[in-house]
Amino acid sequence: MTPFAVERHDGARHDWLGTHADDWVAAGLITPEQAASLRAYEAAHTAPESGRLGPVAEAAAYVGAVLALIGGAVGLGPEWGAMNTGARLAIATAVAFVGFVTGTWLTRIGESATRRLGSFLWVLGSGGVALAAGTTVDAIDPANDAWMGIAIGLPVAAVGLGLWHNTDRALQLLTAAAGLGIGLGGVATLVDTPVWMNGLVVWTAAVAWWALTFTTDIRPLVLARCIGSAAAIAGAFMFIDLNVHLGSVLALVTAAGVVLLGLRLHTTAVLVVGVVGAVMAAQTLLQNTLHGPLAATGVALAGLLTVLAIVVRTRRT
């Protein structure tokens, strides 16, 4: 080990200054004495290593959080309907407070394990926001499903986007996508648009999102593309409301496009989303359009050939 090593937050030794100081001396930018002074100064001011959260402790934390949620749901579930609005809002606020405060504290520690756990607890806090919003709407107009979806989905989407802000926080991006989907579903119910028209909006937005991943540094990139792929396939399926054959074919074509993109970009996760969507679309098409053992055999062979082509292409690359 060189005379100086910076201790990163994750505990890994990083001899950045030691390596670069030698390069600077060789280039004549600083003298050996100045390099030694830099090493001594940084060594004296290096932050002490923070506590690390090991794999067992991290797993135990997740299990404990899930068990606490299950216990709370089982314990309060039967009594939830009998509680007044104030008590429900107090519980929802407490869940949100614990999730956001502890999640923020953990993410600021800087370790990868604590960042993951903090991100998970932020999802818990988002659930508290959804619970509070749903409780409020239920107290005002219990039978209005449209406003319930809007009131729950849009705040959750806003919180998810705010915590994500284009960083590698996969759970927050998923939270934002889920909230946006719920909120847009509520808007669609409120304005009473046809399902296929909603599908056109979803499909167009998903394609635009996919295009954005090529022109903008969206993170995490793979998850962003998987969300866009799933949304595009779901939007195509909504055309079944207009015509079952048209919806099945559009979903199959969209899924095939996702498969091609996954192959082109060498992204397994996107490829899996496309294959799953293609299987679902082919099954729907088979059930509503093609009948008989011959048609089923043809679809099965097409699926096998598709898998074979993917394997061959993967081996070549």
Side-chain angles (χ1 to χ4, degrees), residues 255-279:
V258 171
V259 169
L260 291 176
L261 284 170
L263 289 172
R264 179 72 176 176
L265 300 171
H266 308 291
T267 307
T268 303
V270 173
L271 182 61
V272 169
V273 173
V275 169
V276 171
V279 170

Side-chain angles (χ1 to χ4, degrees), residues 76-275:
L76 294 175
E79 307 296 331
W80 187 257
M83 291 183 182
N84 59 45
T85 302
R88 295 184 191 180
L89 286 175
I91 294 173
T93 302
V95 171
F97 179 81
V98 170
F100 289 135
V101 171
T102 57
T104 300
W105 174 70
L106 286 169
T107 54
R108 288 181 176 176
I109 292 177
E111 296 179 4
S112 57
T114 56
R115 284 196 298 268
R116 289 192 296 267
L117 182 57
S119 181
F120 175 78
L121 291 174
W122 275 343
V123 176
L124 176 64
S126 301
V129 171
L131 189 60
T135 298
T136 303
V137 174
D138 184 66
I140 298 172
D141 189 358
N144 198 325
D145 295 333
W147 280 112
M148 181 71 75
I150 295 172
I152 291 176
L154 297 187
V156 169
V159 170
L161 289 173
L163 293 174
W164 168 58
H165 57 268
N166 200 23
T167 56
D168 291 315
R169 293 171 177 170
L171 289 178
Q172 276 57 65
L173 180 56
L174 284 173
T175 300
L180 188 61
I182 295 171
L184 291 179
V187 172
T189 303
L190 184 66
V191 299
D192 196 23
T193 54
V195 175
W196 70 267
M197 191 174 295
N198 299 332
L200 178 61
V201 173
V202 171
W203 189 91
T204 303
V207 172
W209 175 259
W210 245 104
L212 194 63
T213 63
F214 288 103
T215 60
T216 306
D217 181 24
I218 296 179
R219 294 178 292 172
L221 181 59
V222 173
L223 178 61
R225 286 175 170 170
C226 286
I227 291 174
S229 301
I233 295 171
F237 266 116
M238 292 182 188
F239 279 85
I240 291 178
D241 178 67
L242 184 64
N243 183 282
V244 65
H245 309 301
L246 176 63
S248 301
V249 171
L250 286 178
L252 185 59
V253 171
T254 301
V258 171
V259 169
L260 291 176
L261 284 170
L263 289 172
R264 179 72 176 176
L265 300 171
H266 308 291
T267 307
T268 303
V270 173
L271 182 61
V272 169
V273 173
V275 169

